[in-house]
Amino acid sequence: MTRRRFLALGTAASGTALAGCGIIGAMAAPDPTGVLLPPVSTTLGDVRITAVRTGRVAVKEAHRTLTGPAVSRLPSIVLDPRWTPWLPITCWLIEHPDGPILVDTGETPRVAEPEYFACDPGTRFVYERLLAFDVPTEAALSVQCARLGVPVEEIPTVVLTHLHSDHAGGLPEVSHARAVTSETEAVRPPQGAVRCRWPSGWRPDPTPYDGPASGAFATSHALTADGAVRTVPTPGHTPGHQSVVVETGGRRVLLAGDAAFNTEQIRRGTVAGICEDLPAARRTLALLREETEAGTLVLCSHDPGAADALAAL
């Protein structure tokens, strides 16, 4: 089993200053235990949705929840000694009569390699100091999809909510597929996109939001001929963040990526500390809250309760 543990600003206990920079050492991230969370599925009409959890991530509490002034959010994350518990890294397999659609690719076990992020010095500090990953080899996207009876080679379409590593790390496993991002994300990948780990020559297919309103959203883009699977814009976490709606069998499910960390944030309108565009994030949270109040099941990629909520359908 392969996994990697990243520690925030060293492994010192609180109260120990880091030499040369005057920053108080942060508490260590949770120890990885190699727990592989099994896929969880539900069927709505003629569509099957499966939560595929490709390992786990832990982040700083100030990363998950904005606790101070917006201008200080990044220093707050760096200096925060508190870690969240392990959170799932979830991608979603939608089995539709038109063909399977994968929403995000999760993280790759290759993050265990000591120099995995060295090819992108600009983001290396963030990934090696402010996040912790536990990605067993058996959590790889290709392994889990094969067990589900849908080999990655047979997936024609991948929709990326955004291009951060824990959502796009598995791209090399589906490099053959059409990859759909928002137009914004395709033109200007967000901070934290590790481009040097994308497949050679990889280019996303930008989503034109040319479709009708969908629920609380003023526009959408159909991914299937019957319109049962659509993308909707949910900017904030990144400027071009998007989500995927599945509406069939009398139910509506919204796969929200990192538009929020969990449904409690949506209910309270609590913005995450890691958002690039805070005003847009607040508007997106308001739309997601409107969706939940209308009966939509909103599922966030790092919500420990999301898979159980999907199964409960």
Side-chain angles (χ1 to χ4, degrees), residues 182-207:
S182 68
E183 290 184 307
T184 300
E185 204 103 343
V187 172
R188 186 171 66 87
Q191 300 172 20
V194 187
R195 302 188 213 187
C196 55
R197 291 302 181 186
W198 295 351
S200 177
W202 181 80
R203 294 290 183 274
D205 188 359
T207 297

Side-chain angles (χ1 to χ4, degrees), residues 25-40:
M27 294 168 58
D31 285 321
T33 59
V35 174
L36 176 62
L37 299 172
V40 175

Side-chain angles (χ1 to χ4, degrees), residues 178 180-183 205-211 219-222 231:
R178 173 193 177 217
V180 178
T181 66
S182 68
E183 290 184 307
D205 188 359
T207 297
Y209 282 110
D210 52 4
T219 186
S220 66
H221 176 75
T231 57

Side-chain angles (χ1 to χ4, degrees), residues 13-98:
S14 58
T16 303
L18 293 180
C21 58
I23 297 175
I24 300 301
M27 294 168 58
D31 285 321
T33 59
V35 174
L36 176 62
L37 299 172
V40 175
S41 302
T42 197
T43 300
L44 306 176
D46 56 359
V47 177
R48 184 182 188 222
I49 306 173
T50 301
V52 181
R53 292 169 287 187
T54 62
R56 306 180 296 173
V57 64
V59 300
K60 300 293 197 73
E61 286 287 358
H63 177 132
R64 180 167 62 172
T65 305
L66 180 66
T67 56
V71 295
S72 65
R73 65 186 185 278
L74 294 180
S76 296
I77 294 170
V78 172
L79 295 172
D80 194 346
R82 303 164 301 156
W83 285 89
T84 66
W86 286 111
L87 307 173
I89 303 172
T90 310
C91 54
W92 311 89
L93 180 63
I94 303 169
E95 295 174 73
H96 184 276
D98 286 0

Side-chain angles (χ1 to χ4, degrees), residues 255-270:
L255 308 175
D258 282 1
F261 272 87
N262 52 54
T263 53
E264 182 65 13
Q265 284 190 327
I266 295 170
R267 187 180 72 82
R268 293 178 176 270
T270 304

